Amino acid sequence: MSIQHLHSAEDLEQYVAKPGKKLLFKHSTTCPISAKAYEEFQTYLKDNDTDAAVVLVIEDRPVSNKIAEDFGIKHESPQIFLLEDGEVRWNTSHWKITQSSIKEAVSQ
């Protein structure tokens, strides 16, 4: 399962528009909490066939800001969203991003 990297507003819009459930992860490459959360995210994806994308919050700040604006959810990082039909069905951040929390959210 490959993780798509979103580098532009267009990338983000195309990804959000895709049908079905998908995960969107905001990752800070300088944050140890984010590194741990990203590991959990990747571990979840190894065993589950869910579309997934990542935005690097420092390198692609405009995309990260657009997520907060478009969904009206305060920016945090690390942060994960479960999207379906262009809407956020679930989101959480920091230490709450675990393999099991993602699994539970996706299976709802």
Side-chain angles (χ1 to χ4, degrees), residues 81-96:
F81 303 88
L82 174 65
L83 306 172
E84 191 175 15
D85 305 325
E87 286 177 28
V88 176
R89 300 285 181 217
W90 169 82
N91 74 95
T92 193
S93 69
H94 295 85
W95 298 112
K96 296 194 186 89

Side-chain angles (χ1 to χ4, degrees), residues 3-59:
I3 300 173
Q4 192 181 341
H5 281 259
L6 307 180
H7 298 293
S8 69
E10 291 73 41
D11 288 352
L12 176 65
E13 282 160 15
Q14 285 171 355
Y15 183 69
V16 171
K18 284 167 73 173
K21 289 183 181 177
K22 53 203 156 302
L23 294 165
L24 178 58
F25 186 91
K26 278 188 174 186
H27 182 35
S28 167
T29 48
T30 59
C31 168
I33 299 174
S34 197
K36 182 73 186 99
Y38 192 56
E39 218 172 87
E40 293 280 328
F41 175 61
Q42 289 176 301
T43 304
Y44 166 81
L45 292 173
K46 267 187 213 130
D47 305 322
N48 297 274
D49 189 25
T50 309
D51 269 342
V54 168
V55 172
L56 301 178
V57 297
I58 296 166
E59 294 80 351

